[in-house]
Amino acid sequence: MLKSDLIDVSIPFSAGTPPWPGDTIFTCGWTARREDGSSVNIARLEMSAHSGTHADAPLHVDSEWPASETLPIDAFVGEACVIDLSRDGCDESNTIIDAETLATRLANISDFSRVLIRTGCSVRSGNFPEHWPSLGLPAVQWLVERGVRLLGVDAPSVDERNSTSLEVHHAVFAAGACVLENLNLHGVAVGRYYLYAQPLLIVGADAAPVRALLRRCD
């Protein structure tokens, strides 16, 4: 059996995956079971559109903006860079990343199309993090000016946990770029990769589930 060079960076959709506090918990039930006399097993899923790894749609932050079926596939497939903005622990006050720090992390990167940020504060542990580092608006604008098409994070949101203005979402979507959240970047080395993270073609939602994979670039 050949060993795959693909790295799965997805958070699973399961009952053990923490949702955003107050959101719908993932459940897998059954509408038909062979044990009950049916010829097949048929699963029934209930979940938030923001469970596991997912792509937000602009509709998430503005009711007049496009829904999940409009997400451009090519934004989620192509060369991407993984950078590390993690710190010790996720139980202290938020850390806002400024443009200078971001530029330093991306100093050796020539392609800013897709930037994936490891904060170290994800739901992969089975717990929802209290806080996580997030980009400040000047840092997002710095990316936008350099043509970013996709901003991805391992945290539950590209914005701070307690943000109600959702400035990062708004700035990214206003620039025509996309948002990918709840990645599993634990153990993934900083560097260049090829990303495969197509959102499911779901109509009318504010987000869509994703199976995200990376392949290391030479």
Side-chain angles (χ1 to χ4, degrees):
M1 182 176 182
L2 294 176
K3 182 179 179 180
S4 174
D5 59 351
L6 292 174
I7 306 169
D8 194 336
V9 290
S10 309
I11 294 291
F13 303 96
S14 77
T17 302
W20 193 281
D23 205 351
T24 305
I25 297 174
F26 178 94
T27 57
C28 178
W30 301 96
T31 57
R33 296 301 304 267
R34 285 183 52 83
E35 290 81 355
D36 297 330
S38 177
S39 61
V40 292
N41 295 311
I42 301 176
R44 180 185 68 254
L45 306 180
E46 182 178 11
M47 59 184 285
S48 165
H50 300 268
S51 296
T53 305
H54 63 275
D56 281 353
L59 177 64
H60 182 49
V61 296
D62 192 314
S63 297
E64 301 300 319
W65 283 1
S68 50
E69 71 272 15
T70 69
L71 290 169
I73 293 177
D74 57 353
F76 296 86
V77 179
E79 286 198 18
C81 58
V82 174
I83 63 173
D84 182 50
L85 293 175
S86 61
R87 57 193 175 86
D88 293 334
C90 302
D91 55 357
E92 299 176 359
S93 60
N94 296 354
T95 297
I96 302 300
I97 308 302
D98 58 31
E100 182 178 358
T101 300
L102 181 63
T104 299
R105 295 293 193 278
L106 291 167
N108 298 319
I109 301 296
S110 58
D111 185 350
F112 295 88
S113 297
R114 301 167 190 86
V115 176
L116 310 180
I117 299 174
R118 183 173 64 228
T119 70
C121 301
S122 77
V123 300
R124 64 172 291 275
S125 66
N127 298 309
F128 194 89
E130 289 295 323
H131 304 283
W132 50 82
S134 59
L135 299 183
L137 190 56
V140 178
Q141 292 170 338
W142 186 90
L143 279 178
V144 165
E145 290 169 0
R146 285 155 180 78
V148 70
R149 298 199 63 201
L150 175 70
L151 176 61
V153 293
D154 61 352
S157 176
V158 294
D159 277 287
E160 299 175 80
R161 173 170 173 164
N162 296 323
S163 175
T164 55
S165 60
L166 300 173
E167 289 184 340
V168 177
H169 279 86
H170 280 276
V172 171
F173 290 140
C178 299
V179 168
L180 183 60
E181 296 172 333
N182 267 350
L183 291 165
N184 179 8
L185 298 176
H186 179 73
V188 177
V190 168
R192 294 173 54 248
Y193 294 85
Y194 201 90
L195 172 70
Y196 307 85
Q198 299 97 321
L200 293 183
L201 186 56
I202 296 176
V203 176
D206 70 310
V210 168
R211 183 71 179 267
L213 305 170
L214 292 176
R215 174 181 280 123
R216 187 75 191 236
C217 293
D218 295 333

